[in-house]
Amino acid sequence: DPVSTPHFLDELDRLSVRATFFVLGERVTRYPELARHIARRGHELAVHGWTHSRPWLPAPGRDLRETARAADVLYGTTGCRPRWYRPPYGILTSGRWTAARRAGLRPVLWTAWGRDWTPGATPATVRTTVLADLRGGGTVLLHDSDHVSSPGSWRAALAALPALIGTCRDRGWTVGPLAEHGLDRRP
């Protein structure tokens, strides 16, 4: 999101952290320079789908086309081949799993989330919610946009970053993108 993502990039730079950004293909086509900018700043980009479609209406053919299209657009835009796929809503149907694998992507989910997309989210609630489930080796889900969330909700995630990263470092954990955490490069 050209409104909110640059704030996250600046804060992550300030904190000396690189992250994995799961992006929607349609947003990459709409804002290709932003996708390139994220990559140039050392962050990893991964596939979140073409749109944030609802998985409770399964469409395996559509999933195959859209996942492959998103991976191709991301690679064509940034020159970096994506490794990972995180399904919208965290619902990994068999059709989405197959689509990810056929596109050469490894499906991943999260172990802790901030519920930062909700209308009542604050930096404190995001931090408390993440830390309730976070253990070493975990993956945190936060959103750098309110594209499919409550308006302005990204601000809670952004403001929670310093305390979250500080707590992780205090516990001796390394914070960074998925590719740096010992996961296989390819499925």
Side-chain angles (χ1 to χ4, degrees), residues 21-127:
F21 284 76
F22 285 86
V23 297
L24 298 171
E26 62 93 9
R27 301 288 283 182
V28 172
T29 60
R30 182 180 269 177
Y31 307 109
E33 187 51 41
L34 181 56
R36 287 189 285 272
H37 186 68
I38 293 168
R40 279 193 305 269
R41 286 180 77 167
H43 300 282
E44 181 176 43
L45 287 114
V47 174
H48 191 38
W50 185 255
T51 62
H52 207 268
S53 59
R54 291 170 172 83
W56 42 89
L57 301 173
R62 181 198 65 209
D63 291 339
L64 285 169
R65 287 186 308 277
E66 290 187 355
T67 303
R69 184 178 177 199
D72 289 345
V73 163
L74 193 49
Y75 176 61
T77 301
T78 66
C80 300
R81 191 162 304 282
R83 302 173 185 180
W84 319 104
Y85 169 73
R86 182 175 64 81
Y89 303 97
I91 299 173
L92 187 59
T93 64
S94 60
R96 287 182 173 188
W97 183 87
T98 300
R101 300 296 289 205
R102 286 196 184 162
L105 304 170
R106 181 174 173 177
V108 295
L109 295 173
W110 59 88
T111 57
W113 63 3
R115 296 190 53 83
D116 54 325
W117 65 90
T118 61
T122 67
T125 65
V126 170
R127 181 178 181 274

Side-chain angles (χ1 to χ4, degrees), residues 86-173:
R86 182 175 64 81
Y89 303 97
I91 299 173
L92 187 59
T93 64
S94 60
R96 287 182 173 188
W97 183 87
T98 300
R101 300 296 289 205
R102 286 196 184 162
L105 304 170
R106 181 174 173 177
V108 295
L109 295 173
W110 59 88
T111 57
W113 63 3
R115 296 190 53 83
D116 54 325
W117 65 90
T118 61
T122 67
T125 65
V126 170
R127 181 178 181 274
T128 300
T129 304
V130 167
L131 293 177
D133 293 323
L134 189 59
R135 306 291 177 268
T139 301
V140 175
L141 169 66
L142 295 174
H143 296 81
D144 66 311
S145 171
D146 61 7
H147 174 65
V148 292
S149 303
S150 178
S153 59
W154 61 269
R155 293 176 190 282
L158 178 66
L161 280 178
L164 283 173
I165 291 168
T167 299
C168 290
R169 287 179 172 155
D170 289 347
R171 293 179 180 180
W173 300 337

